[in-house]
C-alpha cells in the first residue's frame, strides 16, 4: 500500500489499515529504521487493570472488587 509524506513530515495510515489494527487517535508507535527501510510498530495500549497495585492505597476501597 502506498502513502505520501506531507509538508509537515507526516504520513497518513489508510483507514482500512487503521480499522484492521484497531488504531485510534493518540496511539503511539515505535519507528524502527533498518538500512533504508522504516518500520512502524504500534505500542500496545495499557488496560486500567494493569495498573492495579501500582500505587499504595491511602484509604480502604469500599466498592466491589473484580478479583
Amino acid at each position: 500500500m502506498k502513502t505520501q509524506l506531507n509538508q509537515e513530515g507526516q504520513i497518513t495510515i489508510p483507514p482500512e489499515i487503521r480499522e484492521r489494527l484497531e488504531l485510534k487517535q493518540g496511539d503511539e508507535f515505535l519507528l524502527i529504521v533498518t538500512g533504508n527501510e522504516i518500520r512502524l510498530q504500534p505500542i500496545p495500549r495499557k488496560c486500567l487493570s494493569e495498573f492495579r497495585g501500582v500505587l499504595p492505597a491511602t484509604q480502604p476501597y469500599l466498592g466491589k472488587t473484580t478479583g
Side-chain angles (χ1 to χ4, degrees), residues 8-44:
E8 290 81 32
Q10 300 170 334
I11 61 169
T12 298
I13 300 172
E16 52 271 15
I17 293 175
R18 293 192 312 259
E19 290 167 8
R20 179 177 165 196
L21 298 176
E22 298 179 3
L23 301 175
K24 307 287 185 225
Q25 181 178 346
D27 283 353
E28 295 182 324
F29 298 84
L30 290 176
L31 287 173
I32 302 163
V33 179
T34 307
N36 65 343
E37 294 182 355
I38 302 169
R39 193 170 88 209
L40 191 65
Q41 181 176 334
I43 298 173

